[in-house]
Amino acid sequence: MKHLIGLVGTNSSQSTNRKLLQFIKANFQKEATVELMEIKDFPVFNKPADSVLPEIVQEAAEKIEKADGVIISTPEYDHAIPAALINALNWLSYDVYPFVDKPVMITGASYGTLGSSRAQAQLRQILDAPELKARIMPSSEFLLSHSLQAFDEDNRLKDSEQIEKLSGLFADFLVFVDLVNQLVQAHESNKKEAANFSWENI
Amino acid sequence: MKYVGIVGSNADLSYNRYLLNFIKKQYSDLFELDIVEIKDIPMFNQDNDQTNSQPIQELNQKILAADGVIIATPEHNHTIPASLKSVLEWLSFKIHPLENKPVMIVGASYYDQGSSRAQLHLRQILDAPGVNAIVMPGNEFLLGRVKEAFDENYNLKDQGTIDFLQSVLEKFNAFVSLVNRLETPEDKPLPEEDLYSSEPIASTIEGVDMAAEDWVEQAAEKVGAVEGDTYVKLNRGILTVDQINTFLASMPMELTFADENNQFLYYNYTKEAEDMLADRVPGQVGNPLVLCHPEAALKNVGWVVQQLRAGNQDVVRIHVPTHGPDKFVVHNYQAMHDEEGNYRGINEYILDFKPIVDWYLKQTGLKLEGDIDATSGASQAEEVEVDAGSGASVKS
Ligand SMILES: Cc1cc2nc3c(=O)[nH]c(=O)nc-3n(C[C@@H](O)[C@@H](O)[C@H](O)COP(=O)(O)O)c2cc1C
Ligand SMILES: Cc1cc2nc3c(=O)[nH]c(=O)nc-3n(C[C@H](O)[C@H](O)[C@H](O)COP(=O)(O)O)c2cc1C
């Protein structure tokens, strides 16, 4: 069975994005295992000259490295992804490259009607940066709007259409993971490229 | 114009910081730039509201008071750094100082693209409803290949870049004026100044004739003012009244205090009127400002106080050229504020700048360049009938 990381894209304790990932984990447990990853305790990234990674970052990098894929669920703050998530991605591309060629599915939840669409669009561009270079599942979007009202008391999504859409995307994602894994030819060189890539020397 | 320049990086070494420092230095004739750092601002977390912490409040106040903001952003992973995003989240959570504030974006990066993608994201962020800044359209300033861009004195090397940056900044000045005009559709005239001091404030000593020659003695008796070797506790220290007097008398300038009710309450009396740069006499203390000036000067006095009270200017300076070529006398009207930022009157200080400039030139071996025509100011003489603090108008 495939093992996925569910990256909670916020440091907020009351997150509907966390709820969404918890729902995914519970709902699809027969298809894959999903392990939630929190970013709240990542220190503030400040380009440390010595490139020594905090332990928590190292652990996260290893887990992502080992996983078959990552689902990132992002809130939207000011039409963009939260600083806390940018922060985590900054760390996870600084002398470690766990995202290179990693299959990624993006979901997002927002209180309003747009369901974090703008944050998701930016996240795609971010994951495309040379040191991240993730394989983002194309032409797929899961936008959970009005997220405060979206769950019942058992933390299940209320709307069956939403569940159906999510099930489809999740099944597609598992296929996408296999597809990406067939594209391994270039993987080693991609890794090397990312590791050799240095903004300092460009 | 007064701008705040935000260094969008929390790193110890930042080319974006160099860039802002250069802008501040190179274009000081276009605007004043107050450069602020973001490294003390914690990561945004909605569970732990730090809006009222000192670093966030300080930034908030500075932005609110500024005519515009220049943000210099690095690019990390095709977007702005987490630390800069965090600041913008704090500034769109419980407070919204950037609302309707003109903003210009610049950015430096190691690469040719010079933070272009980060700048685009930043525009989208600044446009979000919680932020709602007014970002100058077009006019991107991208500084690519920053490692080669500065010389050893942290000046930009390329003259073409310097000229282009100048043109962009000039456009920003025009943009700020335009936006500010949009924001204040009608120029509301400032309220008339009451130079008769007819609305007593909490500290006004009532029941004594403000015009009395011995107002100081009468008022002192009325409130039991301390004097001599009585100690007074100050922020920060303790002095006797005698020591305070000695201290103020030694200030190399003529100091005058007028409160927010436009009452002349104090000057550091060391010389007689005829030996002063702007003459005051002991009997004037206590007067409302209207009694300190000739009729013709009152309009200007009112204008100066209006500017200071409204916060349009922190200080109004007037060069008074009537003292001959050996002096460069400047009247400075400095607004005073209490800790809450409330207007508390005028600190007027009058001094001759010439000895300071001479000393500076002697120490540095530098020379002044160009025509120095500061003293033949006959034509300026009419404009200088402004002596808001107190005393008679300028000697002529
Ligand atoms: C500083 C700040 C800015 C926000 N800006 C947006 C926004 O631009 N668009 C939006 O849909 N929600 C915005 N929100 C509300 C989001 O918190 C909410 O929609 C979020 O996506 C819910 O995710 P969560 O439940 O996982 O925290 C903002 C919230 C904060 C605290
Ligand atoms: C984690 C990380 C990611 C980066 N990603 C980018 C990038 O996507 N695009 C880019 O032009 N520079 C990138 N850089 C290098 C930047 O050009 C450089 O850090 C910064 O913009 C220079 O500004 P500063 O000296 O003010 O920090 C990255 C640097 C780091 C540490």
Side-chain angles (χ1 to χ4, degrees), chain A residues 10 12 14-18 74-80 109-112 116 118 147, chain B residues 44 46 89 92-93 128-129:
Chain A
T10 175
S12 156
Q14 301 294 328
S15 164
T16 54
N17 280 284
R18 185 179 295 111
T74 182
E76 177 168 300
Y77 285 180
D78 300 328
H79 290 184
S110 82
Y111 299 165
S116 79
R118 293 154 296 205
S147 61
Chain B
F44 177 80
Q46 65 179 30
E89 287 170 4
S92 61
F93 186 45

Side-chain angles (χ1 to χ4, degrees), chain B residues 215-287:
Chain B
W215 178 85
V216 173
E217 285 68 30
Q218 287 189 50
E221 195 177 320
K222 186 116 194 165
V223 297
V226 297
E227 58 182 304
D229 55 10
T230 307
Y231 291 101
V232 179
K233 187 170 174 213
L234 300 160
N235 179 20
R236 175 83 193 138
I238 297 175
L239 295 171
T240 66
V241 177
D242 284 338
Q243 284 173 319
I244 296 173
N245 272 322
T246 310
F247 188 53
L248 292 171
S250 74
M251 293 291 166
M253 60 190 80
E254 294 170 8
L255 279 172
T256 296
F257 187 119
D259 69 13
E260 72 263 37
N261 187 31
N262 296 330
Q263 187 181 10
F264 167 29
L265 294 181
Y266 168 85
Y267 76 106
N268 60 345
Y269 173 42
T270 52
K271 293 188 184 123
E272 298 313 320
E274 57 273 20
D275 299 322
M276 294 179 73
L277 297 173
D279 45 3
R280 280 125 181 65
V281 291
Q284 272 178 324
V285 179
N287 283 1

Side-chain angles (χ1 to χ4, degrees), chain A residues 11-13 44-47 77-83 86-87 89-90 93 122 125-126 129-130 199-200 202, chain B residues 10-11 43-47 76-80 82 85-86 88-89 92 110-111 121 124-125 128-129 131 147:
Chain A
N11 53 6
S12 156
S13 59
V44 178
F45 179 76
N46 63 347
K47 277 216 301 194
Y77 285 180
D78 300 328
H79 290 184
I81 67 172
I86 299 179
N87 189 58
L89 294 173
N90 286 166
S93 60
Q122 289 201 358
Q125 295 176 320
I126 292 167
W199 291 107
E200 310 288 323
I202 200 162
Chain B
N10 60 356
M43 178 58 62
F44 177 80
N45 184 332
Q46 65 179 30
D47 299 341
H76 290 170
N77 299 336
H78 287 186
T79 192
I80 65 172
K85 180 73 203 313
S86 168
L88 296 170
E89 287 170 4
S92 61
Y110 299 158
Y111 186 48
H121 281 190
Q124 293 177 318
I125 292 164
V131 188
K147 292 192 165 176

Side-chain angles (χ1 to χ4, degrees), chain A residues 95-157:
Chain A
D95 252 29
V96 282
Y97 310 96
F99 276 103
V100 172
D101 288 333
K102 187 66 57 185
V104 171
M105 169 169 154
I106 298 174
T107 63
S110 82
Y111 299 165
T113 45
L114 294 181
S116 79
S117 58
R118 293 154 296 205
Q120 292 196 29
Q122 289 201 358
L123 182 54
R124 283 177 181 270
Q125 295 176 320
I126 292 167
L127 289 169
D128 221 17
E131 290 139 306
L132 287 164
K133 274 268 173 272
R135 301 281 184 164
I136 314 155
M137 180 156 72
S139 313
S140 69
E141 213 174 28
F142 187 76
L143 305 167
L144 184 62
S145 54
H146 305 295
S147 61
L148 287 174
Q149 293 83 36
F151 297 91
D152 66 19
E153 55 274 28
D154 301 326
N155 281 342
R156 286 186 57 82
L157 275 179

